[in-house]
Amino acid sequence: MSARSLDLKIYAFLIAVGIIGPWLVPSITSQMAVMWLMVLMAVTWDMTGGQMGYNSLGNITFFGLGMYASAVVQIGLVYDVMEYTSAFGAIKVDFTVSQYWTGLILGIGAGGAVATVFALLVGPFMLGLRGPYFAIGTLGLAVAVAELISGWRYVGGGSGISMPIFPGEAGTGSIVFYVMFFVLAIVCHLVIRAVYRTRFGLAINAIRDDEDKAEAMGIHTTRYKVLAWAISAFFMGMAGAIFGNMSGFIEPLEVAFPTATFGIFMVAMALLGGKGTLWGPVLGAILFHIVKEVTWTELLGWQWVALGAIIILNIVYFQQGILGWAQDRWPSLFGVTVDEKMSRTGQTEAAE
């Protein structure tokens, strides 16, 4: 089976599941929407962490910035943002259906744009760091931005912002946000699949394998690193904008910049499925989310212990992830072929 044929079958399966899922089990539509959000997080993190070798702990920054950018645009189109956030009941809030949808669409676009611009501005500085210094630096960036937002009264400071209420019937909103996350996750995966097959994909893989040699071969490493981070930021910003509306209320530490949960989850999911692979982050995100939801329901009080155990087992015994392990055992299933002649030659040379 060729890799292209396998990709098409997986896409067809995911799209079928994504379409019929809410109709089969409508009671968990919101949980399934978050599952597609997890896929988005894992896939975008893997572009820098898996494909490029820069393990970021601060990609949640783009998620939170997109959320706040969207909120400011949605509210600012109708009301004065400072007056809206200043005191509960200071103004009578009443978004019409037209105002809501116009604000939502523009807000999602603004979320992606603001996150991308931020990545382009800070990328040249942050991506000058390597290894653990980059990981710690991005973590510090996420914490710093969250604290700055917490102290910015224009956007409600630590008290947060109540988002415009979805104008449809009860239960309709969860379907709408589910569709948004589902479509965005599929589009994001198709985009990164396309760019991985270009010179861009080869360049970021070369940076991961040996950045100094890549630079010596004429690859402008800073440009490619910043571009990869900006692509991740674009999708994370839009995801944050949608999630803020689905939550109905945003505040800095628990919803917009949840470093200890979503910020760590996106790394754990990519590692679980197999970082540096096309489908590993998708598989890891789906499995991780299912386990998370089950433990939250059946093992309440022990859910963090269960998730911590999964992460430890993954790091200690399955560092290549589930997909990496499967590819090593059954390479032909993934379109990987082995040149027997070269393999025998290599073995002979090694024996000599």
Side-chain angles (χ1 to χ4, degrees):
M1 182 187 300
S2 67
R4 178 183 175 81
S5 174
L6 180 63
D7 286 352
L8 291 175
K9 289 181 179 179
I10 296 175
Y11 279 125
F13 174 75
L14 290 177
I15 291 173
V17 170
I19 292 174
I20 66 174
W23 307 108
L24 286 178
V25 276
S27 59
I28 61 169
T29 301
S30 295
Q31 288 89 336
M32 287 190 288
V34 176
M35 182 191 77
W36 291 114
L37 170 62
M38 295 291 107
V39 171
L40 270 166
M41 287 184 166
V43 166
T44 53
W45 181 88
D46 193 64
M47 175 172 278
T48 52
Q51 299 287 342
M52 199 171 73
Y54 272 71
N55 297 312
S56 170
L57 294 177
N59 276 16
I60 198 69
T61 309
F62 308 130
F63 183 76
L65 286 175
M67 193 179 296
Y68 270 97
S70 174
V72 169
V73 169
Q74 289 179 250
I75 295 166
L77 286 174
V78 185
Y79 299 102
D80 179 88
V81 177
M82 186 71 179
E83 187 179 12
Y84 181 96
T85 58
S86 60
F88 182 76
I91 58 173
K92 185 178 184 300
V93 177
D94 185 17
F95 290 88
T96 66
V97 174
S98 174
Q99 288 171 343
Y100 179 86
W101 285 107
T102 302
L104 179 61
I105 294 169
L106 293 178
I108 293 172
V114 168
T116 304
V117 170
F118 183 78
L120 292 173
L121 290 175
V122 303
F125 304 101
M126 297 303 299
L127 290 160
L129 303 172
R130 295 190 184 185
Y133 301 103
F134 175 73
I136 298 301
T138 52
L139 177 62
L141 179 68
V143 172
V145 172
E147 290 298 327
L148 287 173
I149 295 290
S150 297
W152 193 16
R153 293 184 59 191
Y154 180 74
V155 292
S159 300
I161 308 175
S162 293
M163 296 297 291
I165 299 172
F166 185 79
E169 297 178 359
T172 309
S174 60
I175 295 287
V176 170
F177 294 121
Y178 170 86
V179 172
M180 286 183 175
F181 276 128
F182 169 57
V183 172
L184 187 60
I186 295 295
V187 169
C188 174
H189 199 271
L190 287 171
V191 168
I192 65 164
R193 179 179 181 273
V195 298
Y196 286 166
R197 293 171 181 271
T198 65
R199 176 185 171 84
F200 172 83
L202 296 174
I204 61 175
N205 286 165
I207 291 170
R208 175 192 61 194
D209 295 339
D210 193 322
E211 185 171 344
D212 292 331
K213 287 183 180 178
E215 196 160 359
M217 292 174 66
I219 296 175
H220 196 305
T221 55
T222 301
R223 180 185 304 163
Y224 282 105
K225 289 189 293 185
V226 173
L227 183 57
W229 218 29
I231 294 172
S232 299
F234 176 70
F235 286 106
M236 283 297 294
M238 289 198 292
I242 299 172
F243 189 73
N245 281 276
M246 191 173 85
S247 301
F249 179 80
I250 64 176
E251 60 83 40
L253 301 181
E254 299 295 330
V255 181
F257 302 94
T259 306
T261 52
F262 285 177
I264 299 299
F265 288 173
M266 65 178 76
V267 182
M269 292 184 294
L271 292 176
L272 177 63
K275 75 172 189 174
T277 61
L278 184 62
W279 290 106
V282 179
L283 176 64
I286 293 173
L287 289 177
F288 188 88
H289 183 65
I290 291 173
V291 171
K292 180 170 71 66
E293 290 299 318
V294 170
T295 54
W296 246 253
T297 304
E298 305 296 335
L299 298 173
L300 191 60
W302 290 88
Q303 69 272 23
W304 292 110
V305 177
L307 291 178
I310 291 173
I311 294 172
I312 291 171
L313 289 173
N314 180 202
I315 293 174
V316 174
Y317 296 106
F318 284 94
Q319 293 184 1
Q320 76 274 45
I322 297 171
L323 204 60
W325 173 79
Q327 282 181 337
D328 286 343
R329 291 183 64 88
W330 304 290
S332 60
L333 290 178
F334 299 90
V336 178
T337 57
V338 178
D339 189 320
E340 296 294 343
K341 183 178 178 181
M342 292 190 66
S343 177
R344 285 195 296 271
T345 303
Q347 291 174 359
T348 303
E349 290 176 349
E352 291 174 351

